[in-house]
Amino acid sequence: MRQFLSGALLVALVASCGIAAEDAPDRARHVQSFTWTMDAPGFGGFSAIDFTESGEGFVAISDRGYVVEGRVRREGGRITGIESTRPEAIRNTRGRPMTGKARGDSEGLAIGADGRRYVSFEGDHRVWVYPTPGRAIALPRHPDFAGLQNNSGLEALAIDARGWLYTLPERSGQMTRPFPVYRYRDGTWDQPFDIPRIGGFQPVGADIGPDGMFYLLEREFSGFGFRSRVRRFALSPTGLGPGEVLFTSRLGMHDNLEGLAVSRTPSGEIRLTMISDDNFRVFQRTEIVEYLLR
């Protein structure tokens, strides 16, 4: 009986935290939602985006194993167009285009200061590094990766200034269980800290901002549409800070946002750039959504 009451109390506390966080005023303001279209095979299903070191270009990947490189055109801080390549297949460790959804379900992307690209996959849960786009090198796997849920694996991936990688799965296994964060440094993985769950949101994208903080994009699906939320945490070698909610979108305001890139504008503001996965469905859209921190 005592265990039941403890579990019920924890559920109630999680729910109350979710209500409090969502009722708090947003710290980030919505600037623009830009619909991106392209008549090309493989376009759509974008699950991650990251900017190049110069901040002028971007790389985006889809959950069908395609990559697109391009540049965002802006005027007055607003997106006016996208210049990009056509989708090309991501290469495997032999330098060949990947085939099959289980092998090509690419979900997370992080670009290091040296230009190396890191991609996380679910289905066959793993992380690969690309010294060049033409061929991948497989990183070691944490033992926990083998037990991750199908279609709910390593969705989010980020890299800090030291070259340390951070990833976490979309699902933790229970509503009261925090999301484990895995860190890759010096050739090995560890699991140094967790991120608490708040409500029904699940992590789908992450990035380390120019301020050195850890940003997490989360998504909630109600059956009628999507809601999105971004939280921010102070990051140190020993743990994460308590975190703060930067914004929570209303139901249906955005499409299925899955990728997050954090940058600084020429005027010094923190910009959150997100991209949506349209699931290759005609009633969804590929959006690039941007928010600025107040």
Side-chain angles (χ1 to χ4, degrees), residues 2 5 14 27 68 89 93 109 113 138 164 206 208 230 233 270:
R2 182 176 298 173
L5 290 176
V14 170
R27 293 209 53 202
V68 171
T93 54
L109 171 68
W164 297 358
I208 309 296
V230 170
F233 304 82
I270 294 290

Side-chain angles (χ1 to χ4, degrees), residues 178-198:
F179 298 102
V181 178
Y182 299 94
R183 178 178 61 191
Y184 183 78
R185 58 176 181 170
D186 301 326
T188 60
W189 290 97
D190 61 359
Q191 197 259 297
F193 35 78
D194 304 297
I195 290 180
R197 295 185 66 139
I198 300 179

Side-chain angles (χ1 to χ4, degrees), residues 112-114 118 158-166 183-186:
D114 58 1
Y118 299 83
I159 189 168
D160 67 16
R162 293 164 293 201
W164 297 358
L165 291 173
Y166 303 84
R183 178 178 61 191
Y184 183 78
R185 58 176 181 170
D186 301 326

Side-chain angles (χ1 to χ4, degrees), residues 4 12 27 44 50 70 72 96 100 111 113 132 140 178 210 218 251 261 279 289:
F4 172 78
R27 293 209 53 202
D50 203 0
V72 179
R96 299 176 182 174
I111 302 177
T132 66
E218 299 172 290
L251 183 65
N279 292 302
V289 175

Side-chain angles (χ1 to χ4, degrees), residues 10 24 76 87 111 152 185 211 250 263 271 274 278:
L10 184 56
I111 302 177
S152 300
R185 58 176 181 170
D211 52 4
R250 66 180 183 273
S263 59
R271 176 192 285 136
M274 290 152 283
D278 66 354

